[in-house]
Amino acid sequence: MGHLPGGRQSARRLRSFGAIDGSRSIARSVTERWPAEIGRTLVIMPAKDESATLPELLERLASVHPPSDTLVVDDGSNDATPVIARHAGCRVVSHAFNIGYGAALLTGYHYALRNDYSYIVQMDADGQHPPEAISNLLQPVFEDDADLVVGSRWLSPDTEPQGSLRRLAARGLAWMATLWTGQRITDPTSGFQAISPTALAHLCSDGFPEDYPDVDVLIGLHRSGIRLAEVPVTMAARANGSSMHAGLRVLYYFYRLAVCLLLLPVRRTSPYRSQRPRR
Amino acid sequence: MIALVQSSVPLLAPDLGRQKLVAIALAVGMLLIVLELVRRRKLREEYSVLWVITAVALLVVALNRAVLVWLTDLIGAAVLNSTLFFGGLLFLMLLCLQFSIRLSRLTYRVRNLTRRIALLEEERNKQQDDSQ
């Protein structure tokens, strides 16, 4: 049966979703591999209905990072996503309902601040981002060469090919980010990022866009003095599910991006909420 | 009596140039106010879409009278003013519909959260009672 908390009933539930092989224990302690002097690192994984990809992904992640320092932010899943994550030994925060990818990331950031994590790696739960690349992502941050490191699929020759429309849009956004920041940025929409304490403080301070956080966040951080860097990462194709930019939402995405970039130099802090987490 | 009142009120001749200027000023003003509210983060981008579209449409119509004539012909109206009133009513209807949809979702979410908080409080109280 394996070593699953909750006993046979729990394992039966998981098998009914086809999500887990109950004969293996997923949670393994790897703290002996993690250099203690670097500081605590939290892996944040926003997830919604990812029970198909999550078990394998968490197993790969456990080989490079402790499950106890992995936070799965369940954004209103209707399947066994939070159960799978909890059984894998990860921390799980579940939103009452779906409030968006950016909101889930912000929940993760607040969790990191509340629990005294120094560094953050954020990655998607759909299997696109390879956990094995986390150490490459973190290295510039640990060596204090950058405050935020983006894993760029376009810098890697082995990345799964993308559609022509997507490539064109990606090039346009990359050109925009490069123009605004003055440094070459190839993948500003990548959700695979390593974040230093300095960058985390900026992200949590105000105005983090909770619907589509990407290009404008990077540009805003750069304007605040955050040092950006990119490393090549080989990304896989999405295993299942749909992109958050699919359908008519892409129209709103570009509208919102245009308004945010237009107002970026003069944007004020929000009068409605302080995003500083209460300790 | 009505004829007496009507005869005492002088009819003004429409000044198309001034009308155009006022319409352009209104459209630009509306656009600037909406962008300013978004800049101050008092208005979320998702709620600014309809306002921006309406302001841009008003600007286009103000700058090019032929568009207004074409729209009037399209909807089968007799006079240009009817098209403007129709557009205004349509905008208000869409705005109300957007808010109704949002309110419905918020109502569901607030009730759901209220229920969850109540259940969490009960669980916490139960744990406290068990530990004592």
Side-chain angles (χ1 to χ4, degrees):
Chain A
M1 184 71 68
H3 307 287
L4 299 167
R8 291 183 181 182
Q9 194 174 3
S10 187
R12 209 166 22 238
R13 257 178 86 195
L14 289 170
R15 277 205 298 275
S16 73
F17 281 100
I20 193 171
D21 176 5
S23 65
R24 286 177 296 161
S25 171
I26 291 179
R28 300 204 306 261
S29 172
V30 292
T31 51
E32 66 275 6
R33 304 183 201 182
W34 205 251
E37 66 273 11
I38 285 176
R40 297 177 68 211
T41 301
L42 178 71
V43 171
I44 298 172
M45 201 183 294
K48 183 181 183 297
D49 299 333
E50 300 284 5
S51 57
T53 52
L54 207 56
E56 187 196 336
L57 182 62
L58 291 179
E59 191 171 347
R60 285 167 65 192
L61 181 60
S63 66
V64 298
H65 190 74
S68 56
D69 287 328
T70 297
L71 174 72
V72 174
V73 182
D74 163 36
D75 192 26
S77 294
N78 295 311
D79 62 5
T81 296
V83 176
I84 293 168
R86 212 164 277 123
H87 279 278
C90 301
R91 304 291 183 188
V92 180
V93 170
S94 287
H95 289 158
F97 23 72
N98 176 248
I99 55 174
Y101 172 73
L105 278 179
L106 196 56
T107 299
Y109 298 156
H110 281 232
Y111 179 91
L113 283 180
R114 279 172 178 254
N115 292 277
D116 296 320
Y117 282 95
S118 303
Y119 301 95
I120 284 177
V121 171
Q122 63 184 55
M123 58 185 295
D124 292 350
D126 57 7
Q128 288 191 71
H129 300 156
E132 296 79 13
I134 285 178
S135 56
N136 286 345
L137 210 63
L138 280 169
Q139 192 153 2
V141 176
F142 287 158
E143 293 172 355
D144 201 24
D145 290 332
D147 297 311
L148 192 143
V149 178
V150 178
S152 170
R153 76 201 79 196
W154 308 118
L155 289 178
S156 168
D158 300 322
T159 284
E160 290 284 330
Q162 308 282 324
S164 55
L165 200 61
R166 190 188 165 103
R167 261 206 103 92
L168 186 65
R171 278 193 181 159
L173 294 170
W175 171 80
M176 208 181 302
T178 302
L179 189 70
W180 275 80
T181 59
Q183 67 179 86
R184 187 176 172 234
I185 293 181
T186 59
D187 197 355
T189 63
S190 170
F192 197 24
Q193 298 177 3
I195 299 168
S196 72
T198 311
L200 179 62
H202 275 87
L203 285 167
C204 284
S205 60
D206 178 70
F208 185 79
E210 298 191 23
D211 38 18
Y212 295 109
D214 47 47
V215 183
D216 53 323
V217 171
L218 283 187
I219 294 171
L221 286 173
H222 182 265
R223 288 174 60 85
S224 302
I226 297 297
R227 296 167 300 164
L228 305 176
E230 281 189 323
V231 296
V233 168
T234 302
M235 294 193 191
R238 175 189 298 277
N240 69 325
S242 62
S243 166
M244 60 180 178
H245 300 103
L248 291 176
R249 284 174 286 182
V250 71
L251 294 174
Y252 170 67
Y253 169 77
F254 282 110
Y255 164 78
R256 196 201 142 270
L257 188 63
V259 169
C260 286
L261 290 179
L262 177 72
L263 298 174
L264 194 66
V266 293
R267 205 87 190 251
R268 275 204 194 171
T269 54
S270 171
Y272 292 132
R273 56 189 170 147
S274 168
Q275 295 193 32
R276 294 185 189 282
R278 291 184 207 141
R279 289 174 166 256
Chain B
M1 182 64 180
I2 294 173
L4 188 65
V5 170
Q6 281 180 336
S7 63
S8 65
V9 175
L11 286 173
L12 299 174
D15 184 342
L16 292 181
R18 189 172 288 189
Q19 275 183 7
K20 189 172 178 175
L21 275 174
V22 168
I24 291 171
L26 187 68
V28 170
M30 192 169 152
L31 196 58
L32 290 176
I33 287 171
V34 168
L35 288 177
E36 174 64 11
L37 288 171
V38 172
R39 182 188 81 87
R40 289 176 183 233
R41 300 192 194 274
K42 289 190 175 181
L43 180 66
R44 290 171 62 92
E45 293 88 354
E46 59 188 306
Y47 296 121
S48 70
V49 177
L50 196 56
W51 290 98
V52 167
I53 289 174
T54 303
V56 168
L58 195 59
L59 191 62
V60 166
V61 163
L63 288 171
N64 192 345
R65 193 181 166 83
V67 174
L68 184 60
V69 172
W70 174 77
L71 280 171
T72 305
D73 184 51
L74 187 72
I75 65 172
V79 293
L80 302 181
N81 291 347
S82 300
T83 311
L84 294 173
F85 280 113
F86 175 76
L89 276 171
L90 189 65
F91 163 71
L92 289 172
M93 268 175 52
L94 288 173
L95 200 64
C96 289
L97 186 62
Q98 182 187 28
F99 289 156
S100 297
I101 293 170
R102 291 286 175 175
L103 271 172
S104 301
R105 190 166 74 168
L106 281 171
T107 302
Y108 162 74
R109 288 184 170 186
V110 164
R111 289 183 180 176
N112 194 314
L113 278 173
T114 305
R115 196 175 304 118
R116 282 175 68 126
I117 288 170
L119 289 170
L120 278 169
E121 282 180 347
E122 197 282 332
E123 278 176 26
R124 188 194 61 183
N125 292 338
K126 190 178 171 188
Q127 280 176 358
Q128 282 176 349
D129 291 340
D130 290 344
S131 64
Q132 283 173 359

